[in-house]
Amino acid sequence: MSLPNAPQGPSDSRSDAAPGFTPRTLAAQAMGRIEPGTRAVVMPLHVSTTFIRDPDNGYSSGYSYARPDNATVREAESVLAMLEGAEAGALLFGSGMAAATAVFGALEPGDHVVAGTVMYWALKRWLREEAPRRGLTLTFVDTADLDALRAAVAPGRTRLVWIETPGNPLWTVTDIAAAAEIAHAAGARLAVDSTAASPVHTRPLERGADIVMHSATKILNGHSDVVAGVLAGARADAFWDRIRGIRAGSGGILGPFEAYLLMRSLRTLHLRAAAQSAGALRLAERLSGNPLVTHVLYPGLPDDPGHAIARRQMRDGFGFMLSIRVAGGEAGAIATAARVRLWKRATSLGGVESLIEHRASVEGPGSPCPPDLLRLSTGIEDTEDLYGDLDQALRSAHGG
């Protein structure tokens, strides 16, 4: 049964959810849409690259060519816009990097950007190497330190503040509402990379952010078989239109098959996020008592520096990501990662399978990541199995 007033055909990406239903319900039913031709409960995959004109030379279907737009992509975007509460809608891109760089591409030469010292390493590297070539000036700061953030923002010159919370891979927590107040007072926009939180745990737009970004490759898709990125906007304005134009002009839109798989995954997002967050918390608690772990970084732990803020701006859990610092320094950490049997030693995060990675090796010189740190992405396996595998790997790496 479709939800009351649920649209039956293609729509734009704005949230058009029926009132009275929770995001979990709306996501599970993909907004309750029914395919009008067959009455199917799963919308079809639209792969056509071009569309027929009307006799008057127009396009009454709303589609003309697939580079700027696609019906399957719109369906997934509508669910994402609903999940984020995005008035402007959502835009899907071919990767998280494509989504993020489109935001910076919408800025003007000479604009000043403030970004976090703890953030996704590939984007930080891109900012250092490519943003100056586009005429942007950059300041990197610990965004969890609001005094430092306030000092870094230049009123009238700073146009964008970019934060990631929790911040990969140290899982530092930035106060979104406070950061939004600081940015807006200076005449800047606030963009939030909320990949590690997902809209299940945090909705940045509700706390004053202007744009929220996700690497949809991660928990939004959750099955390690789609590369995608998404932006959700608080309001449709000239800046949002420039981002939309960048995606159309560069051909950065997500492919329809990937959007179809992502839509499938969004229907189970709340179940997966709850299970993975609960597992991460249990692992963090167990690992905190392991004598071969010197420190656990997870905002769900009461003694974590960001716990109070996380409790205020996250709900129903603290996310699926944590990191551990291992006795024996870098050698101990690498040896531990080499000895796991259940955890998968691979890049990425957010899938249903648990992953482990020595991030300092990946990020190289200049990384804020301590050399004794292992990043853990918690999947949906049995938590006792996951802990037991880490424990045996730790003991084996240290001669036990």
Side-chain angles (χ1 to χ4, degrees):
M1 182 176 68
S2 64
L3 302 185
N5 304 315
Q8 303 303 301
S11 68
D12 64 20
S13 65
R14 291 173 297 179
S15 174
D16 45 21
F21 294 99
T22 64
R24 174 174 176 162
T25 294
L26 293 168
Q29 293 201 10
M31 307 289 283
R33 293 193 174 92
I34 303 300
E35 199 280 315
T38 65
R39 307 299 290 166
V41 299
V42 175
M43 295 296 287
L45 171 61
H46 293 274
V47 296
S48 182
T49 60
T50 193
F51 303 85
I52 299 296
R53 286 184 184 270
D54 300 328
D56 64 1
N57 217 33
Y59 287 104
S60 60
S61 70
Y63 299 98
S64 60
Y65 189 59
R67 175 164 51 80
D69 202 0
N70 173 272
T72 304
V73 172
R74 283 196 192 186
E75 293 294 334
E77 288 175 340
S78 69
V79 175
L80 289 162
M82 176 275 297
L83 287 171
E84 289 292 356
E87 181 181 324
L91 296 172
L92 276 167
F93 291 77
S95 69
M97 282 294 293
T101 56
V103 177
F104 295 99
L107 295 169
E108 299 289 346
D111 284 351
H112 178 240
V113 174
V114 175
T117 53
V118 178
M119 63 184 298
Y120 177 50
W121 186 248
L123 179 58
K124 189 174 185 178
R125 183 175 57 205
W126 184 90
L127 286 172
R128 284 174 166 166
E129 295 175 358
E130 297 297 328
R133 296 175 186 172
R134 299 165 184 245
L136 302 178
T137 58
L138 298 165
T139 300
F140 291 100
V141 66
D142 177 5
T143 59
D145 182 340
L146 295 179
D147 289 335
L149 178 60
R150 192 174 291 106
V153 170
R157 190 168 69 89
T158 302
R159 298 304 180 196
L160 182 70
V161 175
W162 181 279
I163 66 174
E164 179 179 337
T165 184
N168 185 3
L170 305 182
W171 315 117
T172 52
V173 177
T174 297
D175 187 324
I176 298 171
E181 184 178 347
I182 291 169
H184 296 160
R189 291 177 175 83
L190 176 70
V192 179
D193 180 344
S194 194
T195 297
S198 91
V200 173
H201 300 308
T202 306
R203 302 221 308 179
L205 301 183
E206 290 181 348
R207 307 195 73 82
D210 301 287
I211 294 172
V212 59
M213 190 280 288
H214 295 273
S215 172
T217 309
K218 311 307 193 291
I219 197 169
L220 292 182
N221 181 63
H223 292 80
S224 301
D225 56 8
V226 168
V227 175
V230 63
L231 298 174
R235 67 196 63 84
D237 56 15
F239 191 76
W240 184 254
D241 287 343
R242 285 200 295 275
I243 293 172
R244 186 187 295 275
I246 287 169
R247 188 185 72 165
S250 66
I253 194 171
L254 185 65
F257 181 64
E258 289 79 9
Y260 183 85
L261 290 178
L262 177 60
M263 174 70 88
R264 166 216 61 186
S265 297
L266 291 173
R267 296 175 81 137
T268 63
L269 174 62
H270 286 77
L271 294 176
R272 291 183 289 104
Q276 290 173 250
S277 175
L281 177 59
R282 180 61 178 150
L283 281 171
E285 292 169 342
R286 293 288 305 277
L287 289 164
S288 293
N290 192 301
L292 297 175
V293 173
T294 62
H295 190 198
V296 177
L297 294 81
Y298 185 65
L301 293 175
D303 61 353
D304 186 271
H307 181 69
I309 297 171
R311 280 183 60 86
R312 189 162 65 243
Q313 69 186 23
M314 302 183 79
R315 57 175 177 254
D316 300 327
F318 299 91
F320 56 96
M321 295 300 300
L322 67 151
S323 294
I324 57 173
R325 298 184 67 174
V326 176
E330 181 175 23
I334 292 174
T336 298
R339 287 166 169 79
V340 294
R341 298 190 296 250
L342 179 59
W343 293 77
K344 305 302 181 186
R345 196 177 182 186
T347 292
S348 200
L349 49 97
V352 294
E353 65 288 304
S354 293
L355 304 180
I356 186 170
E357 189 168 42
H358 183 252
R359 286 301 299 172
S361 298
V362 175
E363 298 184 5
S367 168
C369 189
D372 60 352
L373 182 143
L374 293 173
R375 187 182 73 179
L376 308 178
S377 174
T378 309
I380 62 171
E381 305 94 339
D382 184 89
T383 306
E384 291 304 307
D385 288 341
L386 292 173
Y387 177 78
D389 188 42
L390 277 174
D391 182 56
Q392 69 78 26
L394 286 161
R395 286 186 285 105
S396 176
H398 290 83

